[in-house]
Every structure is written in structure tokens, then in C-alpha cells.
Amino acid sequence: WEISYDALDPIARTLLDICAFLYREGITEEIFFRAVTSFDPSRLERKPNAEHSEIPSEALKALVRHLRDDSSTWNKVGFIDSMHNLRSYSLVQEPFKGVFSIHPLVHQWASDRMTPSQCDESRGDALCVLYYALPPVKDDAHIPVSRMLLPHLDSCGIPTNIEIAREFAWAYNACGRWTNEESLREYLVEWCTRNLGSDHDATLEDIHRLGWTYYTRGRLEDAEKLQIEVLEARRRLLGDEDHDTLSSMSHLASTYRQQGRYKEAEKLGV
């Protein structure tokens, strides 16, 4: 396999390195199409995310340049040629048109052959591909894409880049994977509180969303505690009439109603 790897063209190598951290089945052309055509490195390279290894590597940027033109049009032929290069050495299979898989032993070897730094870079690139493949708008179209990507999200593991973690939390929510969503949102709250401060907009939004996650899982006391914290902070920082403050009031009122505390919900006026 190492001889075969050395004979690959650089783009095919990068594809294999990324696929080593995706789930070994259900690797579709659509994943790379969505990621490449929406690729914007500035979304992940801006601070404070730049301290993480999970930002696009030079190899991933070269892959994107190869697979799209200046107008961001998908280079289907280039992708097919690179996957054919991998198939010609039996490193990947194509059981269905546009759907690829990797033998379990080849898949394990593809990551085992890497040094620790190479593993970090290629896993980071795989996380970036999934991040860009997820729809930016959280509408009904988000659900089927999230379900398609779910095995690959699981395979890559928990991201540390907060932008990727937020997108993955939405994807797990869309798939009904509440435990995974909760873990990511707890990580986001801890990271943002420590690095940005408890009054930062991003911190308050992540606490707000974690409170709603607790609410949907029936952890009403935990939800109430966080919702009160966010409401008090937003009232102090933004005022009672701000949209975010009103959203916090609405969420807290929902929690009170779920607890049977209707008078307290009514006092919030939403």
C-alpha cells in the first residue's frame, strides 16, 4: 500500500488522507462538492480559532483550487480523475456511482502510516470538509445533509475549533443526537467563558443555546439556571427591548410553563 500511496498524484493523496478520518463507507462526491464550492478559509482562520490545528491546511487549499475554478464552479472531472487514481491502486472502491468506500484494513493503514502531526493535520482537514459541507442556513435542507454526514462526524470525533463545534452541534440536533449536541454545547460554553469572558456576545449565545438544549432534554432546573443567567446579563448589557433579551425572556417563560409556574411566566410578558 505504501508503494501505491507514493505513486498517487498529490490531489489523490490529500483525498485519501482526509478519507482516513471519515467513516470508511458512504464517502460521497456530494460531500466534497458541498465543501469545495462553499470553501472560505477565512471563516475558520480568524481568531480565536487560529490557535487550533483544525483550520484548512495548505494541502486542503490546493485540493480546493484543483476542484473548483475562479467562479467556484465544481470541477467534476478533476474529482473523478483523482478518485479513479485511488481506485486504480485498489485504495478505494465505488460500489455505487458517486459513492465510495475503503476496505477496513486500508482505512486503518491510511491513518496508522501518519506521524502524529500528519494525523492532526489530516483529521483537521476532514473536520473542515465536514464543516463546509454543512448548510450555513438551518432550514429543512439542513436535516438530510446532517444525516448524510452523521457517520463521518462520529468518525472524526469532537472538534476543538469553536466554529466547527457549533456547526456539529446543529447537525447533531438535526439528527436527534441530543447527548452529542449537549456535550458540544457544554464545551462551547466552557471555552468561550474562559477565553472570551462571561459577558461576551458569543458566550451568552452559547449559554442561551445550552439552556435550550437542557430544556428539550427535560433538564428544566438546569435550563432555568442558565436562562436566568443569560437574561440578567442581556438586560444589563442590551436593555429589555433588545431582540436577544426578548428571546431569552421567551425561553425562560417556556421553562416556567413546563414547570407549571404560570404566574412567573406571565410576569415576563411574552
Side-chain angles (χ1 to χ4, degrees), residues 30-39 43 126-139 141-150 152-153 159 163-175 184:
E30 182 181 356
I31 294 173
F32 289 94
F33 164 78
R34 298 183 66 89
V36 166
T37 54
S38 64
F39 184 79
R43 288 168 58 188
L127 288 166
C128 291
V129 165
L130 297 174
Y131 168 81
Y132 289 114
L134 285 164
V137 178
K138 308 304 181 286
D139 56 13
H142 192 268
I143 298 175
V145 176
S146 296
R147 289 175 177 167
M148 174 185 70
L149 297 179
L150 185 60
H152 306 297
L153 268 61
E163 292 297 332
I164 297 177
R166 286 194 183 104
E167 287 301 311
F168 280 26
W170 280 113
Y172 281 124
N173 174 278
C175 297
L184 283 172

Side-chain angles (χ1 to χ4, degrees), residues 12-85:
R13 288 184 190 178
T14 301
L15 282 169
L16 184 61
D17 290 344
I18 292 171
C19 290
F21 293 91
L22 302 179
Y23 185 60
R24 61 181 183 82
E25 296 180 347
I27 302 169
T28 63
E29 178 182 348
E30 182 181 356
I31 294 173
F32 289 94
F33 164 78
R34 298 183 66 89
V36 166
T37 54
S38 64
F39 184 79
D40 177 5
S42 66
R43 288 168 58 188
L44 292 177
E45 290 178 345
R46 61 175 178 257
K47 293 182 178 180
N49 289 297
E51 71 182 59
H52 300 299
S53 61
E54 297 159 5
I55 58 175
S57 71
E58 292 305 314
L60 178 56
K61 292 176 184 177
L63 173 71
V64 171
R65 288 193 297 269
H66 180 77
L67 294 181
R68 77 178 190 189
D69 60 23
D70 293 338
S71 62
S72 296
T73 301
W74 173 242
N75 180 3
K76 185 180 181 71
V77 173
F79 178 79
I80 291 173
D81 286 347
S82 293
M83 295 307 290
H84 177 75
N85 192 201

Side-chain angles (χ1 to χ4, degrees), residues 168-238:
F168 280 26
W170 280 113
Y172 281 124
N173 174 278
C175 297
R177 293 278 294 275
W178 318 121
T179 300
N180 298 88
E181 180 195 11
E182 183 179 303
S183 296
L184 283 172
R185 295 208 182 279
E186 287 174 342
Y187 164 73
L188 286 165
V189 168
E190 185 277 329
W191 194 96
C192 288
T193 301
R194 172 166 45 86
N195 290 277
L196 304 177
S198 58
D199 284 346
H200 193 280
D201 288 347
T203 305
L204 292 174
E205 182 63 21
D206 284 324
I207 296 173
H208 175 76
R209 296 198 180 282
L210 176 59
W212 191 247
T213 300
Y214 285 158
Y215 172 88
T216 59
R217 299 201 67 199
R219 296 177 56 180
L220 299 181
E221 291 184 3
D222 293 327
E224 178 190 350
K225 180 180 177 181
L226 294 183
Q227 288 164 349
I228 290 173
E229 177 185 345
V230 174
L231 177 56
E232 290 177 348
R234 284 178 167 171
R235 275 177 163 164
R236 172 169 48 84
L237 297 167
L238 305 173

